[in-house]
């Protein structure tokens, strides 16, 4: 009996102690900046959970005694913690995860927080933004989601100093920064040069990184305004995804699918796909798009990874020259919706990209990146050309058909590392890159009048009554005329060193050498079945061969950081632009060397939750190439030039980004730019006048507030304002025009648009609804004086999504 009682008491005691040993462990996971980490896996004893948006987790531990917690997440080193239970609930201190540099680097900042303490892909060097003597801005995934961004221009409305311009017929998006047009050379996808034809799709974008000012040291032959790096979403070693449906004004429909997950322990995938259809407030204008983006991440080992990405975009849309111009001026009476192009006009584009990005971490200090990519771009356009009417509003419509095939290859190698020499600490970047492009431009014969003789004259249209009865609507026949093939080869090598003299004082030094070979055009004539080379004509009609450009691009900066949250810098950098033509000795014109000076303050407040960065810059071209004018005031040879012109671009930029309070995000900015010619020759452009296409003032402000759970759980409200200041359209007036009393400039008034957004999240479901241009502002984007495109009126966009 006594034995039975003893065994019973022993069993009760064992059960009591085992029950006492069972616990629920709770904690928060953050990065080294103290920012919450969402989606981190926490495992113990065969069970697992993930952190939420606040980095919080809890996990029930069934077995008694000491236990282990394992933390892991893509982009972070694995973390191991041994825990002693403390009753039924065990609270542990915040766990800090270190970023894993051997992973494909990707900035994923929740909210609109500062990136000053991050290193960005666009800088190539691994240097954190606070140490970078250059203005940088990031439009991250949260902004892209909150604003329901469809194409690149929607995202760049948030980038101060980057203004949307108009191009010929609205066939793609064109941007200006610091007075310079951002052409194909200035836009990159995951670090590789990309074409923005067809309007870049935003459903794949994790972020848009903007490196303002001269980036020639890192990227070679780019203009001095800015470089855009489009960072796409990467595969993840966890199952998940999102499906959404977006719809809006003018029959806009856009389903989006995003699925990711592991294939094995070392291989992960992601695939993003979307299709869209939209009409327009512009009569007869519509857009049809298909986009797919599969990618694979192969984690070879702890130190090496390979990311392979492919995407394809088919974009068909109606080319639209807007409302045209009347007697060289804009007439609002033409109407916001009036369609002036021929009814059958089309613009069809197809583009594809493929990339392979290999990264290897030798040790904690040294890393190698090798990137190879190709892009294929095709465009087929047919429709009416410039719409320029007389005083009565009558404009002749002439037809044009063009076709372009472009194939581009890019290869680059970047080695980053840290070392110490004496008391100096070095953060080094050594790199090299090469670009090859093959462009084929096709010209066509058009038979607008029928018969066998080419003729492009179609009809006349009354801009004030474009839908008059009897207007012509047939599509004339056409035939291939010529194909011109041009090859361009670029290669460059560069080195950069960020030297830390003390913890507060740093120096950045760098230099690049670039070689560029532009081939002569190879013209194939379809009628004669012959091929000829377009000569690069010099003296006595002698062919000078391919155009060769060589240039050095240096950079120097001083950086002072009196506080860990503050950086003050001054910098000098240089970029170059290629020049066509030849000098008085019939030698090819060398590139123009453009100097850029910049000073700025980068500052974080509220423990890094809010940043305010201020920048001043001056860009000056002291050897602007101009056509030589003879003593008689006439131009004898339009291709003969001299370095006698001077241009300048001055400005300031202010960035504000961060979290003012829990759930209260702000993103704002302001910029001023004044680009003009300082010196031109006797027949040149009048000095001191703002250049056509540039914008004086731009401003943006976005506020989003997620209401507390006890007030309205899951509800988010947002408001955005975008200001575009005065611009000049038309053409800059020349001194000859001035003498004749002719003013070719068309001043464009400023405008502001306001958007309001409301969103609600319930479990895995989310709905976002936006009303854009609430005040129904009416204004234009103008390319010279003929492509006058009204801005969209008031409209709405709604997105319903489900995450899994």
């Amino acid at each position: 009996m006594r034995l039975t009682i003893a065994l019973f008491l022993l069993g009760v005691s064992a059960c009591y102690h085992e029950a006492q040993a069972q616990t629920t462990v709770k904690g928060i996971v953050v990065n080294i900046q103290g920012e919450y980490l969402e989606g981190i896996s926490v495992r113990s004893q065969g069970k697992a959970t993930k952190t939420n948006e606040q980095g919080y987790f809890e996990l029930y531990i069934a077995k008694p005694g000491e236990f282990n917690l394992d933390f892991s997440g893509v982009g972070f080193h694995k973390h191991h913690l041994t825990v002693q239970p403390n009753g039924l609930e065990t609270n542990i201190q915040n766990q800090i995860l270190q970023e894993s540099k051997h992973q494909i680097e990707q900035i994923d900042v929740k909210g609109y927080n500062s990136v000053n303490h991050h290193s960005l892909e666009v800088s190539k060097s691994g240097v954190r933004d606070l140490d970078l003597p250059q203005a940088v801005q990031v439009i991250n995934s949260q902004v892209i989601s909150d604003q329901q961004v469809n194409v690149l221009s929607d995202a760049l409305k948030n980038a101060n100093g980057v203004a949307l311009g108009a191009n010929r017929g609205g066939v793609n998006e064109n941007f200006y920064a610091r007075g310079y047009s951002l052409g194909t050379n200035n836009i990159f996808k995951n670090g590789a040069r990309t074409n923005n034809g067809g309007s870049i799709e935003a459903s794949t974008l994790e972020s848009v990184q903007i490196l303002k000012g001269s980036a020639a040291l890192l990227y070679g032959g780019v203009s001095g305004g800015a470089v855009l790096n489009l960072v796409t979403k990467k595969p993840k070693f966890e199952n998940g995804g999102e499906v959404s449906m977006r719809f809006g004004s003018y029959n806009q429909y856009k389903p989006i699918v995003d699925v990711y997950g592991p294939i094995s322990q070392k291989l992960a995938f992601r695939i993003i796909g979307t299709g869209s259809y939209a009409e327009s407030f512009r009569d007869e204008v519509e857009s049809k798009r298909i986009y797919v983006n599969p990618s694979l991440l192969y984690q070879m080992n702890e130190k090496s990874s390979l990311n392979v990405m492919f995407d394809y975009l088919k974009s068909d849309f109606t080319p639209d020259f807007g409302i045209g111009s009347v007697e060289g001026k804009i007439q609002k009476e033409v109407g916001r919706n009036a369609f002036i192009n021929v009814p059958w006009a089309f613009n069809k584009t197809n583009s594809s990209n493929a990339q392979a990005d290999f990264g290897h971490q030798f040790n904690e200090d040294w890393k190698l990146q090798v990137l190879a990519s190709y892009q294929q771009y095709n465009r087929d356009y047919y429709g009416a050309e410039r719409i320029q009417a007389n005083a009565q509003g009558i404009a002749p419509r002439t037809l044009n058909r063009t076709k372009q095939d472009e194939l581009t290859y890019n290869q680059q190698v970047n080695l980053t590392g840290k070392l110490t020499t004496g008391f100096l600490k070095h953060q080094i970047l050594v790199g090299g890159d090469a670009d090859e492009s093959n462009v084929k431009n096709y010209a066509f014969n058009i038979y607008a009048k029928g018969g066998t003789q080419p003729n492009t004259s179609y009809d006349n249209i009354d801009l004030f009554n474009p839908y008059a009865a009897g207007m012509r609507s047939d599509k004339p026949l056409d035939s291939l005329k010529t194909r011109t093939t041009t090859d361009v080869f670029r290669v460059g090598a560069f080195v950069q060193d960020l030297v830390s003299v003390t913890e507060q004082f740093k120096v950045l030094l760098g230099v690049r050498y670039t070689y560029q070979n532009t081939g002569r055009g190879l013209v194939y004539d379809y009628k004669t079945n012959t091929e000829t080379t377009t000569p690069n004509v010099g003296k006595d009609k002698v062919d000078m061969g391919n155009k060769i450009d060589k240039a050095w691009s240096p950079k120097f900066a001083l950086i002072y950081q009196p506080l860990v949250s503050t950086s003050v810098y001054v910098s000098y950098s240089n970029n170059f632009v290629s020049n066509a033509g030849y000098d008085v000795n019939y030698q090819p014109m060398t590139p123009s060397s453009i100097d850029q000076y910049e000073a700025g303050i980068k500052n974080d407040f509220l423990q890094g939750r809010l940043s305010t960065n201020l920048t001043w810059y001056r860009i000056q071209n002291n050897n602007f190439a101009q056509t030589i004018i003879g003593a008689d005031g006439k131009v004898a040879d339009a291709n003969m030039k001299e370095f006698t012109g001077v241009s300048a671009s001055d400005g300031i930029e202010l960035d504000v980004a961060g979290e003012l309070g829990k759930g209260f995000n702000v993103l704002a900015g302001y910029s001023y730019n004044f680009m003009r010619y300082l010196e031109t020759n006797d027949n040149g452009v009048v000095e001191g006048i703002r250049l056509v296409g540039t914008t004086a003032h731009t401003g943006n402000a976005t506020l989003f507030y997620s209401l507390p759970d006890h007030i309205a759980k899951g509800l988010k409200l947002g408001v955005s304002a975008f200001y575009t200041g005065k611009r000049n359209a038309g053409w800059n007036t020349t001194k000859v025009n001035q003498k004749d009393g002719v003013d070719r400039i068309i001043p464009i008034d400023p405008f502001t648009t306001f958007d309001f957004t409301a969103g609600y999240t319930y479990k895995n479901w989310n709905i976002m609804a936006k009303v854009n241009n609430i005040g129904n502002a009416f204004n234009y984007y103008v390319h010279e004086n003929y492509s006058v495109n009204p801005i969209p009126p008031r409209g709405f966009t709604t997105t319903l999504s489900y995450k899994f």
Side-chain angles (χ1 to χ4, degrees):
M1 182 67 179
R2 291 179 180 177
L3 179 60
T4 302
I5 293 173
L7 290 173
F8 174 76
L9 292 174
L10 182 63
V12 170
S13 176
C15 291
Y16 171 79
H17 285 292
E18 183 170 348
Q20 285 295 97
Q22 294 171 342
T23 187
T24 298
V25 61
K26 300 179 179 181
I28 293 175
V29 182
V30 298
N31 61 15
I32 58 175
Q33 284 80 37
E35 299 165 336
Y36 300 136
L37 296 179
E38 180 186 3
I40 299 298
S41 296
V42 185
R43 299 178 181 275
S44 182
Q45 300 180 356
K47 293 186 177 181
T49 186
K50 289 184 179 181
T51 57
N52 65 13
E53 291 183 355
Q54 284 73 45
Y56 176 80
F57 75 92
E58 57 181 63
L59 187 66
Y60 177 70
I61 306 299
K63 296 181 180 180
E66 180 181 276
F67 59 92
N68 296 321
L69 289 177
D70 293 307
F71 302 84
S72 62
V74 176
F76 295 90
H77 286 294
K78 292 180 179 179
H79 179 61
H80 181 81
L81 178 69
T82 301
V83 180
Q84 291 290 344
N86 184 20
L88 297 177
E89 185 175 297
T90 301
N91 291 290
I92 63 173
Q93 65 182 2
N94 289 3
Q95 297 300 298
I96 301 174
L97 297 195
Q98 300 284 338
E99 291 187 19
S100 176
K101 297 300 182 181
H102 70 271
Q103 294 280 4
I104 298 293
E105 293 184 4
Q106 180 168 308
I107 301 299
D108 186 11
V109 182
K110 295 298 179 184
Y112 300 173
N113 292 357
S114 165
V115 296
N116 282 347
H117 295 278
H118 292 275
S119 60
L120 304 177
E121 295 95 319
V122 72
S123 71
K124 290 189 178 182
S125 57
V127 171
R128 63 176 185 152
D129 182 46
L130 202 65
D131 294 333
L132 197 64
Q134 203 162 348
V136 177
Q137 190 174 359
V138 175
I139 312 301
N140 65 30
S141 58
Q142 189 71 58
V143 180
I144 293 171
S145 174
D146 285 347
Q147 296 185 2
Q148 302 177 77
V149 167
N150 281 312
V151 291
L152 183 58
S153 59
D154 295 337
L156 290 180
K157 289 194 298 185
N158 302 282
N160 75 77
V162 179
L164 177 65
N167 58 20
R168 193 167 179 167
V171 296
N172 55 37
E173 296 176 326
N174 185 32
F175 308 99
Y176 286 83
R178 298 189 174 183
Y180 288 87
S181 176
L182 304 184
T184 299
N185 283 350
N186 286 57
I187 301 179
F188 296 78
K189 182 178 289 187
N190 299 318
R193 206 179 307 270
T194 190
N195 192 308
N196 68 330
S199 299
I200 290 172
E201 174 60 39
S203 62
T204 187
L205 296 181
E206 185 67 36
S207 66
V208 179
Q209 301 178 359
I210 306 156
L211 182 64
K212 299 177 184 179
S214 175
L217 171 66
L218 303 175
Y219 294 96
V222 293
S223 71
V227 162
L228 309 180
N229 185 41
L230 315 177
V231 181
T232 61
K233 298 174 181 178
K234 304 296 191 297
K236 296 183 178 182
F237 283 94
E238 58 188 63
N239 289 307
E242 181 177 9
V243 293
S244 63
M245 182 66 189
R246 182 170 297 165
F247 51 94
S249 300
Y250 310 107
N251 292 323
Q252 177 195 7
Y253 301 99
K254 185 176 183 178
I256 307 172
V257 178
D258 179 4
V259 181
Y260 53 81
I263 297 174
S264 68
Q265 289 186 341
K266 293 188 175 183
L267 188 64
F269 80 96
R270 189 163 197 159
I271 183 166
I272 301 167
T274 181
S276 65
Y277 172 80
E279 295 173 2
S280 171
F281 68 96
R282 306 275 302 137
D283 295 342
E284 302 191 39
V285 173
E286 65 176 13
S287 169
K288 300 176 183 177
R289 295 165 64 88
I290 297 174
Y291 177 80
V292 63
N293 172 212
S295 57
L296 291 172
L297 174 59
Y298 177 40
Q299 197 65 53
M300 301 175 181
N301 51 50
E302 189 67 18
K303 293 186 175 182
S304 301
S305 63
L306 176 66
N307 189 76
V308 179
M309 185 276 287
F310 173 83
D311 70 358
Y312 169 78
L313 172 65
K314 176 179 173 60
S315 178
D316 298 344
F317 53 94
T318 308
D320 182 15
F321 285 84
I323 65 172
S325 63
V326 177
E327 197 70 2
K329 302 299 178 183
I330 298 173
Q331 294 291 342
K332 188 175 182 179
E333 291 77 10
V334 173
R336 193 176 205 160
N337 64 316
F339 182 71
I340 312 300
N341 208 336
V342 292
W344 44 265
F346 63 81
N347 189 92
K348 301 179 180 181
T349 64
N350 292 271
S351 61
S352 58
N353 291 269
Q355 298 179 352
D357 187 354
F358 171 77
H360 178 75
Q361 190 82 33
F362 295 101
N363 51 47
E364 287 298 319
D365 292 329
W366 290 90
K367 177 184 177 180
L368 175 70
Q369 182 198 31
V370 180
L371 175 65
S373 71
Y374 98 92
Q375 175 174 276
Q376 189 165 12
Y377 170 74
N378 311 107
R379 175 183 171 232
D380 190 3
Y381 166 87
Y382 194 10
E385 272 300 309
R386 311 180 183 197
I387 304 298
Q388 297 169 291
N390 59 23
Q392 289 73 43
I394 304 301
R397 287 197 294 190
T398 59
L399 302 180
N400 184 33
R401 180 167 188 190
T402 61
K403 189 177 179 183
Q404 179 182 346
D405 295 334
E406 179 181 312
L407 185 62
T408 304
Y409 296 93
N410 175 264
Q411 306 86 36
Q412 25 181 312
V413 177
N414 299 306
L415 177 66
T416 58
K418 299 178 181 178
L419 56 85
T420 302
T421 58
F423 66 92
L424 301 176
K425 296 179 181 179
H426 304 265
Q427 192 165 350
I428 296 173
L429 166 65
V430 180
D433 50 53
D435 283 307
E436 304 171 68
S437 67
N438 175 273
V439 181
K440 294 182 174 66
N441 286 302
Y442 298 83
F444 289 79
N445 293 311
I446 296 173
Y447 306 94
K449 299 298 183 183
T452 59
Q453 295 300 314
N455 193 307
T456 61
S457 181
Y458 188 68
D459 65 0
N460 293 322
I461 188 171
D462 183 353
L463 267 60
F464 298 110
N465 185 22
Y467 309 122
M471 292 297 296
R472 189 172 173 183
S473 61
D474 63 299
K475 183 171 73 172
L477 297 176
D478 61 85
S479 64
L480 280 166
K481 182 180 180 181
T482 60
R483 180 191 67 222
T484 302
T485 303
T486 306
D487 295 319
V488 178
F489 173 74
R490 283 183 291 254
V491 63
F494 56 92
V495 60
Q496 176 184 287
D497 187 8
L498 176 65
V499 183
S500 297
V501 181
T502 67
E503 289 297 320
Q504 291 76 36
F505 183 65
K506 302 176 183 181
V507 180
L508 186 140
L509 302 164
V511 66
R512 175 191 181 95
Y513 176 76
T514 301
Y515 170 91
Q516 179 171 307
N517 186 322
T518 303
R520 295 161 293 172
L522 192 63
V523 181
Y524 175 78
D525 189 304
Y526 284 90
K527 182 178 181 179
T528 62
N529 195 27
T530 58
E531 196 168 55
T532 58
T533 300
T534 302
N536 184 10
V537 177
K539 188 177 181 180
D540 300 325
K541 305 296 182 181
V542 174
D543 187 355
M544 297 185 293
N546 291 352
K547 184 175 186 340
I548 307 296
D549 288 323
K550 304 174 184 178
W552 291 93
S553 302
K555 185 169 186 174
F556 173 75
L558 301 176
I559 306 154
Y560 177 60
Q561 297 168 342
L563 303 171
V564 294
S565 59
T566 304
S567 182
V568 181
Y569 68 87
V570 293
S571 71
Y572 164 79
S573 56
N574 181 278
N575 66 285
F576 68 94
V577 294
S578 181
N579 290 305
Y582 42 80
D583 61 20
V584 292
N585 297 314
Y586 291 92
Q587 295 301 308
M589 296 294 288
T590 58
S592 292
S593 180
I594 302 175
D595 298 317
Q596 184 158 167
Y597 307 90
E598 185 170 322
I601 302 175
K602 299 182 179 183
N603 199 85
D604 278 352
F605 301 95
L606 304 176
Q607 297 180 331
R609 297 201 311 272
L610 180 70
S611 68
T612 302
N613 301 334
L614 180 65
T615 309
W616 167 89
Y617 63 85
R618 180 180 180 85
I619 307 172
Q620 187 156 324
N621 183 356
N622 291 309
N623 56 351
F624 177 74
Q626 300 182 102
T627 300
I628 294 177
I629 300 174
D632 58 357
K634 297 181 180 179
V635 176
D637 185 344
N639 292 316
M640 185 173 287
K641 299 179 181 180
E642 59 185 351
F643 291 116
T644 56
V646 179
S647 67
S649 178
D650 300 316
I652 58 172
E653 297 165 345
L654 174 66
D655 292 315
V656 179
E659 187 178 21
L660 297 179
K662 186 176 181 181
F664 188 18
N665 291 306
V666 58
L667 180 69
Y670 163 78
S671 72
Y672 168 77
N673 172 262
F674 182 30
M675 186 173 185
R676 71 282 187 198
Y677 289 111
L678 297 181
E679 296 179 19
T680 63
N681 55 34
D682 292 342
N683 285 357
V685 172
V686 175
E687 294 95 338
I689 305 299
R690 180 178 305 281
L691 289 188
V692 165
T694 66
T695 304
H697 303 271
T698 62
N700 63 279
T702 291
L703 300 174
F704 266 85
Y705 181 54
S706 297
L707 276 69
D709 291 350
H710 67 277
I711 297 178
K713 184 178 180 180
L715 183 63
K716 175 185 285 191
L717 302 175
V719 61
S720 299
F722 305 102
Y723 174 78
T724 300
K726 290 184 178 181
R727 296 141 290 145
N728 287 334
W731 294 276
N732 276 88
T733 303
T734 66
K735 294 174 183 177
V736 174
N737 297 143
Q738 194 176 55
K739 292 176 183 177
D740 295 337
V742 176
D743 184 2
R744 306 198 304 171
I745 288 179
I746 304 173
I748 307 295
D749 292 331
F751 69 93
T752 304
T753 60
F754 297 92
D755 300 345
F756 176 76
T757 300
Y760 180 71
T761 300
Y762 177 73
K763 294 184 178 180
N764 292 0
W765 291 92
N766 175 265
I767 186 169
M768 298 288 288
K770 177 177 70 173
V771 180
N772 59 279
N773 193 5
I774 295 173
N776 205 31
F778 188 10
N779 210 281
Y780 311 92
Y781 293 111
V782 185
H783 179 70
E784 295 181 350
N785 78 336
Y786 56 86
S787 196
V788 182
N789 299 96
I791 67 171
R794 183 188 302 114
F796 79 91
T797 304
T798 301
T799 304
L800 177 65
S801 61
Y802 177 81
K803 288 186 176 181
F804 53 88

